[in-house]
Amino acid sequence: PVSITSPVGMNMVLRDSTHADTTLTFEHYPPGFTFPLVEAASGHLFLALASDDTVEEVIRWMRETDAGEESLAHFPTRATLNLIRERGYALTAWGRYNLNPGRTSAIAVPIYRRGTFEAALTLIFFASAMTQETAVSRYMDKLKATATAISNAISSAAD
């Protein structure tokens, strides 16, 4: 399945997905389902493309909340964020924060509105069925082309 998620507060919120349209999923995630920024490929992508001030604000907020210390333990390093920014996509393996922890992996590519990060297009796949390298090789061109088409459409649409 593929999903479109966007950042809201300290989470990525599912806007739409094909989970209900495929048998290649463990669960059917409805619009509105949330994933913590630090646990999702889409969240890592958002953090990598965000300003340093935004990243620092997220870290400050996590330090001030009860669940923050656990979340901070999973916060991507600066080197990881730089790598995501350089290659233009984020990967997570054996995702922990979903309805079936440890059974799926994900690749997320950015969707932009007029040059600003708007959302992430994410492909979710069975972690035991395919390596990340195989998924990137097999699906990256299509994911990036689709994200570019969506970016162009929403950038040219009247507000």
Side-chain angles (χ1 to χ4, degrees), residues 7-13 37 46 58:
V8 176
M10 297 299 119
N11 296 302
M12 295 300 289
V13 176
L37 288 174
F46 165 71
V58 169

Side-chain angles (χ1 to χ4, degrees), residues 24-121:
L24 299 175
T25 186
F26 293 114
E27 298 291 339
H28 297 192
Y29 295 96
F33 191 86
T34 61
F35 303 87
L37 288 174
V38 299
E39 296 288 344
S42 58
H44 288 195
L45 182 67
F46 165 71
L47 290 168
L49 299 174
S51 69
D52 288 342
D53 287 344
T54 298
V55 172
E56 290 305 318
E57 185 178 324
V58 169
I59 292 170
R60 263 193 314 277
W61 183 88
M62 287 180 170
R63 284 190 176 122
E64 293 174 5
T65 63
D66 293 335
E69 288 304 315
E70 182 181 341
S71 293
L72 282 171
H74 299 287
F75 202 90
T77 65
R78 292 280 183 193
T80 298
L81 295 178
N82 289 336
L83 177 62
I84 292 167
R85 191 177 308 113
E86 287 171 19
R87 65 185 180 196
Y89 63 89
L91 295 165
T92 55
W94 307 94
R96 294 180 335 114
Y97 193 85
N98 53 46
L99 297 176
N100 288 282
R103 298 180 74 186
T104 59
S105 295
I107 306 168
V109 296
I111 295 171
Y112 297 100
R113 180 189 301 258
R114 297 185 180 112
T116 301
F117 179 85
E118 179 78 12
L121 178 66

